[in-house]
Amino acid sequence: MKKVTVIGGGIAGIEAAIFCRKEGFEVELISDRTYLFIYPIAIWIPVSTLSFEEAKMSLSTLAEKHGFSLTVDTVTAIHTDTKTLTLEKGGIRIEEILIIATGSGKMRHPGLEHTLSICGTPEQSLQLKTQIDRLIEKGSGSIAFGFGGNPKDTSAVRGGPGFELFFNLHHKLKKLGIRDRYTMTFFAPMAQPGARMGPKALSMMEHMFEKNNFCTRYGKKIKAFQENGVVFEDDSVLESDLTMFIPAGNGSDMIAKSDLPKNEAGFIRITSTCAVEGVSSWYAIGDAAAIEGPDWRAKQGHIAEVMARITAHNLAIEHHLKQDDPQTYHEHLNILCVMDMGNGAGFVYRDDAKALLIPMPFVGHWMKQLWGHYYKNSKMGRIPRLPGL
């Protein structure tokens, strides 16, 4: 039985390990964490409607369920010329068949240590909870949420979770009857953050901001962060007692030091079949890969899973485990999300043909909660998987 090594224990890596096993490969998953963190539902941890443990899944339990092996270690180097990985504890290993699902790095801003990110390390969700609890205990304050951009690769911008947590915090403060004691501002360097979701979604966001007395600071590049706020390119300062900021993605340090083919932003260049350019039987998926396509394309969890399934399929063909036509990720590119607001949600969908926004008061929040239960139970095989989810 041929062996596939998957590096990265996130949404992309887990899907790749599961589907490579389905295709008949022996699979080893290498992760620097012992658990899968479900980022799409982590927005509720800081506002105390979900516990940290509820957003985790044990990798060893998943490995046992699906029949792959787990190695908890950190990959420190990759070399295509020798087809080797260097592990912090495990040393140098030759890997003939490899799937890279290690995620992205983060663009660095001066003073970034004064911020917390809902898309950062899992522990930052708990740190955000602590800061929010302290701010509520204080009884008033200024709150600034935002995200950054990467002009070298616009697919690496992730603003949705920032908006979701912003809306959920507003809902929490409103339920407590103290929303009017807080100034809430959203900031971003682009003139119209959220525009990639389509004009209807953008219009709804503008209406929500106006209705709920949110402030905005758009269209100014971020110069630096400081302990009490955000400094912009014109030296204006947005004062803040709590700053949540999601930096745009770029190639991780480990990928940057490798001889892997990379685009200008440092992501791994791949073919339409997810194969690493010029390296046989090596593939890259999810946030680590350079995704080509329309200007509105975005790196999302469901795209990472599609890439994982396509990779397993194409590897099975490449190594003569089945006969079929190779698949590409391009035809699956779309934006799909349920943007939770604490007391409802908006269903957003965009592809080349259409851009939809469907408001879902009350039921939308329940649907996103149900998705979290569906994700965990379907991954464990307790309930059947639904097509496209």
Side-chain angles (χ1 to χ4, degrees):
M1 186 183 295
K2 292 192 175 182
K3 181 190 172 188
V4 174
T5 299
V6 181
I7 54 174
I11 287 175
I14 290 298
E15 192 80 344
I18 291 171
F19 274 80
C20 282
R21 283 294 297 130
K22 289 179 183 290
E23 294 288 1
F25 290 100
E26 177 187 350
V27 177
E28 178 187 14
L29 178 74
I30 301 174
S31 172
D32 58 2
R33 285 200 291 262
T34 60
Y35 60 89
L36 163 66
F37 192 64
I38 310 170
Y39 278 96
I41 61 175
I43 53 168
W44 296 315
I45 295 173
V47 292
S48 304
T49 54
L50 186 81
S51 73
F52 187 80
E53 292 301 315
E54 288 175 307
K56 291 168 56 178
M57 293 186 74
S58 163
L59 289 182
S60 60
T61 302
L62 285 165
E64 183 178 357
K65 171 63 183 177
H66 295 284
F68 59 85
S69 64
L70 171 65
T71 298
V72 180
D73 205 341
T74 300
V75 179
T76 59
I78 298 180
H79 295 283
T80 65
D81 55 347
T82 54
K83 298 194 81 172
T84 57
L85 299 180
T86 303
L87 303 182
E88 191 172 75
K89 294 181 287 188
I92 298 174
R93 298 168 33 163
I94 295 173
E95 301 292 352
E96 289 299 331
I97 308 175
L98 180 69
I99 300 175
I100 304 169
T102 50
S104 70
K106 304 294 182 186
M107 293 190 69
R108 296 178 176 87
H109 297 262
L112 194 62
E113 68 273 11
H114 298 302
T115 73
L116 290 169
S117 172
I118 193 59
C119 295
T121 59
E123 293 76 17
Q124 289 192 49
S125 63
L126 288 173
Q127 293 171 333
L128 277 165
K129 179 184 182 304
T130 298
Q131 287 208 16
I132 287 171
D133 289 346
R134 286 174 181 168
L135 198 56
I136 289 173
E137 186 178 352
K138 179 184 174 185
S140 64
S142 299
I143 297 165
F145 278 30
F147 61 91
N150 185 344
K152 295 180 179 179
D153 191 327
T154 57
S155 73
V157 175
R158 185 156 285 158
F163 283 123
E164 289 187 285
L165 181 54
F166 192 70
F167 296 145
N168 271 268
L169 179 53
H170 160 77
H171 179 62
K172 180 182 178 74
L173 295 175
K174 196 171 179 180
K175 282 179 67 177
L176 292 172
I178 57 174
R179 169 65 181 88
D180 59 337
R181 303 178 194 173
Y182 297 86
T183 301
M184 296 186 68
T185 304
F186 207 95
F187 65 95
M190 59 285 297
Q192 291 185 309
R196 72 174 65 232
M197 294 185 294
K200 289 184 179 179
L202 188 61
S203 177
M204 186 198 80
M205 296 274 284
E206 290 172 350
H207 173 71
M208 282 192 61
F209 269 59
E210 188 175 326
K211 176 183 175 183
N212 293 300
N213 198 29
F214 297 141
C215 302
T216 60
R217 193 72 67 90
Y218 295 159
K220 291 184 180 181
K221 291 182 180 179
I222 299 160
K223 183 176 181 180
F225 294 96
Q226 53 191 27
E227 189 174 357
N228 62 342
V230 188
V231 183
F232 297 98
E233 59 183 337
D234 60 359
D235 290 326
S236 62
V237 178
L238 171 60
E239 293 186 357
S240 173
D241 298 301
L242 167 63
T243 305
M244 195 294 303
F245 178 69
I246 304 173
N250 61 10
S252 68
D253 290 342
M254 186 266 293
I255 298 299
K257 294 173 185 175
S258 75
D259 59 352
L260 287 158
K262 296 174 281 287
N263 73 356
E264 192 180 4
F267 298 113
I268 303 167
R269 290 205 314 266
I270 59 173
T271 67
S272 62
T273 61
C274 300
V276 175
E277 290 185 358
V279 189
S280 65
S281 293
W282 278 26
Y283 288 71
I285 59 176
D287 286 3
I291 297 175
E292 301 297 330
D295 290 342
W296 52 257
R297 74 198 187 285
K299 293 182 175 182
Q300 291 188 289
H302 74 284
I303 299 297
E305 289 197 320
V306 165
M307 295 175 80
R309 294 191 289 269
I310 286 170
T311 293
H313 171 84
N314 292 340
L315 272 172
I317 296 170
E318 182 180 347
H319 290 276
H320 312 294
L321 298 182
K322 68 179 183 183
Q323 292 185 339
D324 205 339
D325 294 324
Q327 297 177 359
T328 71
Y329 72 87
H330 287 147
E331 61 193 281
H332 299 281
L333 285 179
N334 58 55
I335 291 175
L336 175 64
C337 68
V338 176
M339 184 172 288
D340 185 73
M341 299 167 188
N343 61 345
F347 174 79
V348 178
Y349 179 85
R350 181 169 187 180
D351 60 18
D352 273 333
K354 56 185 175 292
L356 300 175
L357 170 77
I358 303 174
M360 297 187 296
F362 303 110
V363 68
H365 177 65
W366 302 332
M367 284 179 63
K368 183 134 187 173
Q369 288 181 315
L370 284 172
W371 178 87
H373 294 294
Y374 161 79
Y375 181 85
K376 288 187 279 188
N377 284 289
S378 63
K379 281 290 180 287
M380 287 302 299
R382 300 188 188 109
I383 59 174
R385 293 177 62 108
L386 300 175
L389 291 176

